[in-house]
Amino acid sequence: MLKCSGLTKAYSKMLFENLDLELGAGEIAAITGPSGCGKTTLLRCICGLEELDSGEITLNGEDITSVRTEDRGVGLIFQKPVLYPHLDVGGNLRLAGENIEKALSEVGLEGFATRSIASLSGGEGQRVALARALLARPKILLLDEPFSSLDHELSLRLVEDVRTVLKQRNCSAILVTHNREEAAKFADIILEIF
Amino acid sequence: MKNIGDKLSVLIFSSIILIPLFLALDRLVWVAGFDPVRWFSSIEANHLSQGSVGFTFLQAILSTIATIAIGLPIAWQLGRYKWRGTGLMRAVLTMPFVIPSIIAAMGFLAFVGPHGMGLRADQDTHLWTLIIAHAWFNMALVIRFTEPVLSTLDRDLEDQLRLLPGGKTFWGKLKNLWIPLLTPSIAAAACMTFIFSFTSFALVRWITPLESTLETVLADVGERAGILGYEEYTNDLVLASSLIQFTVMLASLWLMSWLQEKRQSLLPQASENSNLKPNPRGLLILVPGLFFALAPLVTVAWSSFRIPVREQGELTYHWGVEGWIEAWSGGYSNTGVGDALLNSLGYAGITLIVALPLGWSLAKTIHELELSKSKWARILDVFTMLPFAFSAVMIGLGVLLGILKLDGELNSLWLLPVLPHIMLTTPFVVRIMLPAFRGLDPSYDEGARILGLSHRARFWKIKLPLLRGPLLVAITFTLAMSLGEFGASWVVARSGEWDTLPVLIDSLRSRTGWDPLIQPTAAAAATTLMLITLLLFLTVERFRPKGEGGMF
Amino acid sequence: MRAGTLVFALLLIMPTISGCITDIIDSGFENDQVTGPDTELVIVTYDVSGLTDSMLAEFENQTGFEVTLIKLGDAGSILDHLLQHKGAQSADLALGLDNTYLQTAIDAGVLVEHLAQVENLSDSALEPYDGPLAVPFDQGWICLNYDTDKVDGENLTIPISLWDLTQEEWRGRVVVPSPATSSPGRAFMTTTTDYFSNDGDNSTEWTDWWSAMSDNDLIITSGWSEAYETHYTGGYGEWTDGHIGDAYLTVSYCHSPGVEAYFGGNWTHSAALDLDGASFHQVEYVAAIDGGNLIAASAFIEYLTSESVNANMPIENYMYPALDGMDLPEPDGYRYHSIVPTTSADVSMSTIAVEMDDWISDWNAAVL
């Protein structure tokens, strides 16, 4: 379903060159590697926030290389959850879709709709971000080290929860992380960049 | 500059700023002939401008020094310590900056004049009165620039330094922490103070009537310039004064822009609450500071109720509201305060409708250029500050000589006076919105794009609400600046029924002949304007983003 | 701002105006113009803060014209404005040009003959100019005023010649508005050119006096207000906030002490100095502007020179009326404290128009 071929991107140094990647429906992949090796940039390229130097991305057979981010149908969860402080939890979810109670219960946050963003803990914030991302019904979800700022125990629990939700929905995903343990627990396949 | 709208805004701004000034310059040079040596020597060769260059620099430099000397201790107390009512104190202490200068002038004259403290007995005290008034007016800049640096400084930085050899002594701390940390902010505030003092108009006009600054020379002779065969010496004076002023201002703005950038990089990333427990001795600074900030304003309000009574050679007073009645009924002027206020509000409203989107778009463009590391960012940044460099009177003259020349009918155009208001307020919008754009986390926009929100939806649902604080500050500032604008209005449009409140106040003050109600009436009109400005200011104080370190 | 004069509260007391404009309006002449689109009258004037709504409303009610004001800095600004907008005038009527400016305006061709029927103007008002392009509406004499308290108190000698003011006792005690920026200043400088050419002394020029004054710490201000209100000790300025009070002698009107007395409860310590040839007869004019609404302008000229309105000049505008047989009012010492100088400077309007630029430049060199 997701097929990347010949992806190349360089800033002052080459980040990745001629990278190929293929992911089946409902498949979950993890990409690991040291910091600064271009993992984040790869995700940003796939969802269109950055332009590739060359290469081609297709999603469900459709070439999306030059489709606007807004129209790609790709979800992304940032390292720190991007939640809008001027809206409450429900308001944040409503940016993605309507069925917010169901989305919240799916990530274990029943009754959180009227909570303010400032009142959320780090783990809750990431769960809200996940609920919102899924509510937008992405064809594929990209996760950029979403667990790295949480403590060890919490991150392991969240890794499992997220995997469960994704599997239930048969949603494919790519996780970027520098943590191999996390990658192993989360993904079906692991890809390593150096 | 991907967006058509942004290109358009740069174009509109450029034409508003440059076309009148270019036309005016063209006309002046046409009449005067191209002879820069004569232009510049005319300043010292003419009685009315002799010494004005020296005086302009002298008062601007002294005013800058006085402003720092008064503002810095106050900023230190406000920023370092957690006082009860800090917010209110900050509001009071920074309020003078938005008070129309004509009110400040009235307040100071009433305060130090023969019927106040009696401190202004001879010409020698004029300069000092002017400097103190400039310090009063601009101390907000010092506070606004340095206070956020002090209040958000991570205490760890200070504590760490105490454990290092370089921070053992007072001088060590000063040398290794405070001076490098505060210098860019102080210098930036000094730059702005210098600019505003250099081009100050109403205060100079009222407080030092015997001295000329380049700005008052421009105002004195400007309206006679540009006419072939008639008092042509005025063209030399206008050209020389405005070119000198422009050069000095441009250099200051360039320095300012550079300092701002340097300052931004030194602005400590906000630690939540680093304020210390206050030392009561700090009140020795804050209380006189508050008194200083309020005294001229209270004096204006007070003198609106104080009616002088002359009995032969004696002056006594009684209290009454006659001044207020005359002010509102317009018995002494073309329009009453009510009508003038409506005019002012009308101008302010139209100014807002144009200046706000224009300034927003310019700030956004500068920010985008900065992100793409374009050298045009600095150029556009300074360019948007150009109206500061041109000064109110120069802008007024640009409109007068540049635009009105095109068609005399434009003179009666109701909208004409709005043009200088737009020129003068747009830079403030840019100055307020630019740091806000810089401070806005780009992932907010990216996150919304991922969720599939359209450009329009992102603007209305994400960007606008997130920038609500600075936007409100910009709106209030635009309104306050437009309501208080005097210099340009004074030059361009004093056409009776469209008088704005500051022009009305000036014409009341300038009325010839003795009438006991004139001063109370002018003071009542001034108090009205002051109250509206204060109301705006206090409303917006609540929305001011904390520690954002913006310029205003 | 300046120019002591035009405070124009020609208040409410306006009866019907008689005269030809009413006839014009009645005659149907107006059908094309007055009831046509151009019922607006734009008056360019200087900061006549007393030109009140009520007075304008009175005129508007009587004639049906709608008045708009363009207010400028001083009498000179009116000329500036007319010249700036030559060929594309936005105003219909110029109010406040005096005989130091009028000729320049006439020469520039910015004025036009009015249609008003104006009668009974006094000979003195018509003395500088008696033609169809401008109508006098008030007049006065510009001369030196001094503070009698200070002169008595400090035993100063009352000058009998302008040269006396260059003496040490007057050092730093004399203030004059600059001729470059003020019309009373212009008028007084014009006077000195005449005074020193008639003083029987060929060894000195008028500019020598100005140089000597400048050496004697003469205070030169931008306008009349700054001289009279801020620096002069003898006037009402002492009751205002901006007052400094370092000059005992200033340039103002010969009837300024009368105005002081009238508004001060028959009390003043200011007196006018009647030096032969050291005063200037100033007449202020109202004139229709070329290309403007001539009917409306003419209506206003008639209104302003009607007896009832013009009689109020001393109270509302602090100037003598322009009509024959009218004088300053007597109550509260108005007339008593005012003088009409024995001999004023004799300088024609055309001389002024020709020489002014050179005079100002010579003056400038003398005081620099």
Side-chain angles (χ1 to χ4, degrees), chain A residues 44 47 49 69-70 74-76 78 82-86 95-96 132 136, chain B residues 443-455 458 461-462 465-466:
Chain A
R44 290 173 65 85
C47 66
L49 289 173
T69 302
E70 292 87 322
V74 177
L76 172 67
F78 291 75
V82 175
L83 299 172
Y84 299 101
H86 62 285
L95 292 171
R132 190 179 62 187
Chain B
S443 63
Y444 280 137
D445 189 57
E446 290 173 354
R449 287 174 68 186
I450 301 275
L451 292 172
L453 268 66
S454 68
H455 187 79
R458 291 204 303 279
K461 289 187 177 169
I462 309 294
L466 282 173

Side-chain angles (χ1 to χ4, degrees), chain C residues 30 32-42 64-66 92 291-296:
Chain C
E30 67 10 285
D32 310 337
Q33 307 211 10
V34 178
T35 56
D38 202 3
T39 56
E40 203 193 7
L41 172 65
V42 181
F65 292 111
E66 215 178 290
D92 309 307
N293 183 346
L294 187 56
I295 303 286

Side-chain angles (χ1 to χ4, degrees), chain B residues 7-332:
Chain B
K7 277 186 190 145
L8 197 66
S9 71
V10 174
L11 191 74
I12 292 174
F13 185 73
S14 315
S15 9
I16 292 182
I17 299 300
L18 295 180
I19 289 178
L21 291 162
F22 177 79
L23 291 174
L25 190 71
D26 180 56
R27 179 152 205 110
L28 290 166
V29 175
W30 175 64
V31 174
F34 189 80
D35 187 354
V37 177
R38 199 192 64 228
W39 301 348
F40 289 110
S41 55
S42 75
I43 291 203
E44 284 306 306
N46 205 302
H47 177 262
L48 74 91
S49 53
Q50 193 185 21
S52 59
V53 177
F55 182 74
T56 309
F57 274 100
L58 177 76
Q59 61 85 15
I61 290 168
L62 291 177
S63 299
T64 306
I65 295 170
T67 307
I68 303 285
I70 292 174
L72 196 56
I74 293 174
W76 180 270
Q77 289 297 331
L78 278 184
R80 290 274 288 168
Y81 305 103
K82 194 171 177 55
W83 297 91
R84 222 155 19 118
T86 299
L88 185 65
M89 281 201 279
R90 189 192 299 114
V92 171
L93 288 162
T94 51
M95 174 184 67
F97 190 70
V98 295
I99 296 293
S101 51
I102 183 162
I103 297 179
M106 286 174 70
F108 271 92
L109 282 183
F111 193 68
V112 301
H115 310 291
M117 306 274 285
L119 300 175
R120 189 168 166 272
D122 57 66
Q123 292 167 29
D124 301 336
T125 53
H126 290 196
L127 178 61
W128 299 113
T129 312
L130 180 69
I131 286 163
I132 301 289
H134 279 160
W136 178 83
F137 198 70
N138 291 312
M139 69 178 175
L141 290 171
V142 182
I143 297 174
R144 286 261 180 257
F145 276 85
T146 51
E147 198 235 55
V149 182
L150 290 166
S151 68
T152 57
L153 177 72
D154 193 341
R155 288 300 309 281
D156 290 350
L157 286 174
E158 236 186 307
D159 293 342
Q160 176 71 74
L161 187 65
R162 295 166 76 177
L163 304 172
L164 297 170
K168 290 219 183 306
T169 62
F170 173 74
W171 288 114
K173 290 195 191 76
L174 210 57
K175 193 177 117 215
N176 293 315
L177 180 67
W178 296 117
I179 291 180
L181 192 70
L182 288 175
T183 302
S185 297
I186 295 174
C191 246
M192 266 341 261
T193 305
F194 180 80
I195 288 170
F196 285 124
S197 304
F198 201 89
T199 58
S200 157
F201 176 58
L203 289 170
V204 175
R205 190 170 127 73
W206 284 104
I207 295 180
T208 57
L210 272 192
E211 305 286 353
S212 314
T213 59
L214 294 171
E215 185 84 344
T216 61
V217 168
L218 284 170
D220 274 345
V221 300
E223 65 185 1
R224 276 176 284 158
I227 306 168
L228 205 57
Y230 174 69
E231 308 214 352
E232 287 186 359
Y233 74 95
T234 56
N235 293 278
D236 294 344
L237 284 180
V238 170
L239 279 167
S241 307
S242 46
L243 287 175
I244 294 174
Q245 191 159 313
F246 179 67
T247 311
V248 173
M249 292 299 94
L250 197 65
S252 312
L253 287 174
W254 203 268
L255 184 64
M256 170 77 211
S257 166
W258 179 76
L259 285 166
Q260 267 293 78
E261 200 176 273
K262 208 168 159 59
R263 177 176 171 273
Q264 215 79 25
S265 68
L266 274 177
L267 210 59
Q269 283 313 303
S271 67
E272 282 301 307
N273 198 351
S274 61
N275 297 10
L276 300 168
K277 206 168 145 330
N279 182 330
R281 270 181 304 179
L283 289 175
L284 291 177
I285 288 168
L286 287 176
V287 171
L290 290 168
F291 178 77
F292 179 55
L294 288 172
L297 303 180
V298 173
T299 310
V300 172
W302 176 69
S303 50
S304 72
F305 295 105
R306 197 175 71 150
I307 321 283
V309 184
R310 265 172 70 183
E311 282 290 336
Q312 303 296 321
E314 296 300 316
L315 190 69
T316 54
Y317 294 97
H318 73 85
W319 299 93
V321 293
E322 292 96 317
W324 284 86
I325 294 169
E326 288 298 335
W328 281 83
S329 69
Y332 285 117

